[in-house]
Amino acid sequence: MRVLLMGNPNVGKSAVFSRLTGTHVLASNYPGTTVEYVRGSMKLADQTVEVVDVPGAYSMEPSNRAEEVAVRMLAGGDVIINVIDAANLERNLYLSLQLLQSGKPIILALNMWDEALEQGIATDTAALEKLLGVPVVTTCALTGDGLPLLKNRIAEARPGHLAIPPGQDLWQTISTVVGKTQKKPEKGPDFRQRLADLTIQPIAGPVIALLVLLLSFAFVALLGDWLHEEVMAELFEWLWMPVAVHISGALGQSGFMHDLLIGGLVDGTIDFEQSFGLITTGLYIPLALVMPFIFCFYLALSLLEDIGYLPRLGVLVDTMMHRMGLHGLSIVPMMLGIGCNVPGAMAGRVLETRKQRLITATLLAIAVPCMAQQAMVVGLLGRAGIAGLAIVYGTLFILWVLLGMILNFFFRGDTPEMLIEIPPYRRPYWKSLSKKVYMRMSGFTRSALPYVLLGVFLVNMLYSLGIIAIMSRIFEPVISGLFGLPGEAVGALVIGFLRKDVAVGMLAPLGLDPVQLIVASVVLVIYFPCAATFVVMFKELGLRDMFTALMIMIVVVVVVGGGLNVLLRTTGLF
Amino acid sequence: MPKSLIDLKKEEKGVIISFNGGKEMSKRLMDMGIRTGKTISRVSSQILRGPVILSIDGRQTAVGWGMASRVMVEPARNGRGSGNSEYVDLKSGVSRDSTESRESFELRESGDSTDSGNSRDSDDS
Ligand SMILES: Nc1nc2c(ncn2[C@@H]2O[C@H](COP(=O)(O)OP(=O)(O)OP(=O)(O)O)[C@@H](O)[C@H]2O)c(=O)[nH]1
Ligand SMILES: [Mg+2]
């Protein structure tokens, strides 16, 4: 048996799914969190049934990719749990009636029941059950209230018997149903609401947004750096160094195995940042250098998500985004992309047109560095002062805007106007917040750790087989002529195909000057997506559009990398 | 006198009477519950023709400026209750007042809804 969780966006389907199946999926306070269905299972009267978390939809006539998935899923379901926002019954019932017309067995979950009660909304669930002819259960997915009952009553799910007279508008029926079952207290915006609304007012809004973004940035940079320096680096030095030294000694301090596991010794000792062995730099990069920043970033992002700030940020940047062929909602894929381009590119599915998805994916791949890469750049360049970092970020931001405008000009197709529900601000619930950060962290270690190790392994192979030396000689003219980098930097560009953080790490032993570091960092951000991003881009865009994106990328890296090199050298800024 | 959503002042209320746009646009709006007969109030707008934010049933939606300019509303007379035509009882065609007693919940009708077939939405007037 297959049970589908369906309903409008942002009503808590994913939260219900996590509760029912014990499999945690991302739940965030904005419409369009789930863009692909997720399967799980639960026990139902000693029978295992399949449960599917479906992307949210407003109606059965899709207007974006995520909704298309929802419509396709419907046919394959045996029972539908229609999750509804109890505080917004009327609008939610529109989809419910369409689902009822499918003739599938349905059970209604009136979720967000806690909020409905708090707002003084009185709902007669028994009457609703009678009118629609399907079981109705009230739930609060945040605390789990009502979920056991929902589970128990799944067996009672049945096709509804609400007969809609032919020719009658669904909304008329809905008004009748709502009129008979729910009463909302009439009230204007109170003080709290007015305060909340300040964040989307013309002047206060952007000021607050700037503060929020600056604070988040400072939080990630400062706390991340502290965690790296004072906690992880220290831990490695105390706990891991003795082990590594021991192994190094046992391997006789040289030879192929030693180079592979420990790497090269710097002044006779192991340097976690530069040795480039599997158990030295291979572990140090992901765990000590990158993870602290990933943790801080996801903490900040998850907080903003759960509060419900992202759609408001989208409203504020909408006008600017239209210049770039996008609309405000594209801020969501961009923000997710700062963590990792992969979920960023996936989130592009909530955008309506091919043009928007293409521009979003191209901008992500070219101008939005992932957190792992940023952590390495900050580590490497930060030592030379804040100015170098400012140039890197400034260049990327200008590139992001300009490239967006250029793509908007060249890509045919149109960009619809923004139409998005702004969810109420919600108090973050620490349990689900920490669960979410934990999920994202373990996702990072699971997917990044093997790739980083593979990257370090390849670096060693390429070096010891002399391939890097050959490639350096071949590409020297381009790399040093154009970007002013030494020939060995080609190694970083090669590994960049796999993992960008390892690639940036490879710059460390090269002894580059500040200008070279800046140019190399920017070039590594732009020039090619990492393997994982490459795969999703292909899946989301298809071969042709991905090829277009890659061509653009090559042009951009030559222009920006070369230009930056010339500019910084001739102005003598460094 | 009807005017478009963008002419509505901040915090002013109005009842949606029509859409001056294509079918596609009105369908998308209707799917999200923004439809004729609903009372909305404007929460804010952005500079440079940014999205208009409206509140409907206590929930906010951001609507692009161009789209908003094609949503026609009848400004609600202030003072008289709230003009919340969303609570129109279709059977009687009379707006239900918030003072109405909770008794109405006792209206346990059978599932058939044919009684609402001959009712009219209040926006016809
Ligand atoms: N107060 C309260 N918040 C809830 C409840 N259920 C979910 N939430 C919160 O509502 C937000 C949306 O929940 P999701 O589970 O992501 O919603 P969804 O329906 O999966 O949304 P999409 O995937 O975007 O369609 C999250 O911030 C949840 O933590 C509830 O019963 N009460
Ligand atoms: Mg979801």
Side-chain angles (χ1 to χ4, degrees), chain A residues 283-473:
Chain A
L283 294 178
Y284 191 78
I285 285 184
L287 299 180
L289 277 170
V290 173
M291 202 145 88
F293 290 92
I294 297 264
F295 170 73
C296 296
F297 173 77
Y298 279 132
L299 191 59
L301 178 72
S302 304
L303 199 64
L304 290 181
E305 279 182 344
D306 285 8
I307 291 175
Y309 189 64
L310 294 191
R312 287 163 171 93
L313 192 59
V315 167
L316 296 173
V317 298
D318 184 61
T319 307
M320 180 180 82
M321 299 292 258
H322 269 287
R323 299 260 153 82
M324 302 161 63
L326 300 170
H327 63 53
L329 196 53
S330 311
I331 202 71
V332 171
M334 297 298 173
M335 293 290 278
L336 294 182
I338 294 177
C340 170
N341 281 188
V342 172
M346 293 271 295
R349 287 191 185 178
V350 296
L351 304 174
E352 298 88 345
T353 61
R354 171 172 163 250
K355 174 177 177 170
Q356 286 170 288
R357 288 191 290 269
L358 183 54
I359 294 181
T360 300
T362 310
L363 287 181
L364 271 174
I366 293 182
V368 180
C370 70
M371 208 53 202
Q373 190 175 7
Q374 289 181 62
M376 298 300 291
V377 170
V378 169
L380 204 60
L381 207 55
R383 281 172 215 151
I386 196 90
L389 280 181
I391 293 181
V392 171
Y393 279 100
T395 307
L396 290 175
F397 181 72
I398 293 169
L399 174 64
W400 184 72
V401 176
L402 278 183
L403 186 61
M405 289 167 75
I406 294 170
L407 294 178
N408 182 31
F409 182 76
F410 282 109
F411 287 163
R412 251 168 297 147
D414 49 20
T415 305
E417 287 188 76
M418 186 169 178
L419 179 60
I420 180 194
E421 196 187 344
I422 309 289
Y425 277 122
R426 296 198 156 100
R427 221 174 296 116
Y429 187 59
W430 72 269
K431 249 187 182 163
S432 50
L433 185 78
S434 48
K435 191 89 203 173
K436 192 155 138 175
V437 174
Y438 172 77
M439 254 172 72
R440 283 172 155 163
M441 294 294 290
S442 63
F444 165 76
T445 39
R446 242 181 301 124
S447 62
L449 205 56
Y451 277 106
V452 170
L453 289 176
L454 179 65
V456 172
F457 177 78
L458 279 180
V459 171
N460 281 295
M461 284 301 162
L462 293 177
Y463 267 111
S464 52
L465 293 176
I467 295 177
I468 299 273
I470 298 171
M471 291 185 78
S472 303
R473 239 170 292 134

Side-chain angles (χ1 to χ4, degrees), chain A residues 74-128:
Chain A
L74 178 63
D78 300 308
V79 173
I80 294 165
I81 300 180
N82 179 204
V83 184
I84 279 183
D85 176 355
N88 200 6
L89 183 63
E90 184 180 284
R91 203 211 45 216
N92 278 251
L93 280 178
Y94 187 62
L95 181 76
S96 304
L97 292 206
Q98 294 189 331
L99 291 174
L100 282 170
Q101 287 174 331
S102 75
K104 300 249 177 198
I106 291 181
I107 175 168
L108 242 59
L110 283 190
N111 195 39
M112 310 248 178
W113 188 243
D114 53 325
E115 282 192 359
L117 291 183
E118 202 180 306
Q119 289 168 29
I121 298 171
T123 315
D124 187 346
T125 53
L128 194 59

Side-chain angles (χ1 to χ4, degrees), chain A residues 9-15 25-28 30 32-35 53-56:
Chain A
N10 210 42
V11 296
K13 298 176 296 298
S14 297
V25 289
L26 285 182
S28 302
Y30 58 80
T33 309
T34 311
V35 292
D53 183 19
V54 178

